[in-house]
Amino acid sequence: MVTVSTATAVWRRDSVKGEKRDLWTAMKRGFRCRCPRCGEGKLFCAFLKVDNNCSVCGLDYTPHRADDLPAYLVIVIVGHILVPVILWIETDYAPPVWLQLSIYLPLTLFASLALLQPVKGAVVGFQWALRMHGFDENAPSEIPPV
Ligand SMILES: [Zn+2]
């Protein structure tokens, strides 16, 4: 005898609308390196290592992978701030090259490192608010986690 099983749950966009998630609030909380849901728990367990879950509300962070997006965003932000300033100083004052390099290189490095963690937190908050996350390959069904 052959038994055919049918899917008992069908995923629809309506089925994940249980919890209201505000995009800007989640991104601001992530930018402050806090949990995008409760705003209290820490988001990172190391400089750029997102913790497994929130220590306060228990939100699972593991499906939220920012990958290289924070680095690209930091390059865009720092570049759009520093390049116009550098061009303005060069055209109006033309300081010696050694002086420019001794200021711009450490400034660029410091600004990039200072922005990397908050931008990554904002990206994780963005992903959480829009329910963007990868599928768990070991999950028993095709229903995405919420
Ligand atoms: Zn939390």
Side-chain angles (χ1 to χ4, degrees):
M1 177 175 178
V2 177
T3 57
V4 177
S5 65
T6 58
T8 56
V10 177
W11 182 84
R12 295 188 196 107
R13 186 161 295 278
D14 296 346
S15 61
V16 294
K17 287 191 172 178
E19 181 183 8
K20 182 172 172 49
R21 298 177 180 180
D22 183 60
L23 176 65
W24 295 111
T25 302
M27 287 182 67
K28 280 189 280 186
R29 288 174 175 167
F31 193 83
R32 290 185 296 123
C33 304
R34 296 294 171 190
C35 171
R37 180 162 70 186
C38 69
E40 298 294 324
K42 288 184 178 180
L43 188 57
F44 296 97
C45 62
F47 178 59
L48 290 178
K49 173 80 175 138
V50 177
D51 209 347
N52 289 332
N53 53 25
C54 176
S55 59
V56 176
C57 71
L59 174 66
D60 184 15
Y61 298 142
T62 54
H64 303 289
R65 295 175 30 192
D67 291 335
D68 294 336
L69 181 60
Y72 294 132
L73 293 176
V74 166
I75 290 170
V76 169
I77 293 167
V78 171
H80 278 82
I81 293 171
L82 287 182
V83 169
V85 172
I86 291 170
L87 289 175
W88 169 67
I89 290 173
E90 175 62 26
T91 54
D92 284 3
Y93 303 105
V97 173
W98 67 266
L99 179 61
Q100 293 183 56
L101 290 178
S102 65
I103 294 171
Y104 301 148
L105 292 179
L107 184 63
T108 304
L109 180 67
F110 175 76
S112 300
L113 291 176
L115 278 175
L116 203 49
Q117 192 180 39
V119 168
K120 185 170 184 172
V123 168
V124 170
F126 180 84
Q127 290 175 331
W128 177 79
L130 296 182
R131 303 173 198 276
M132 301 168 62
H133 37 68
F135 291 94
D136 183 8
E137 296 171 359
N138 299 322
S141 69
E142 293 295 321
I143 299 172
V146 237

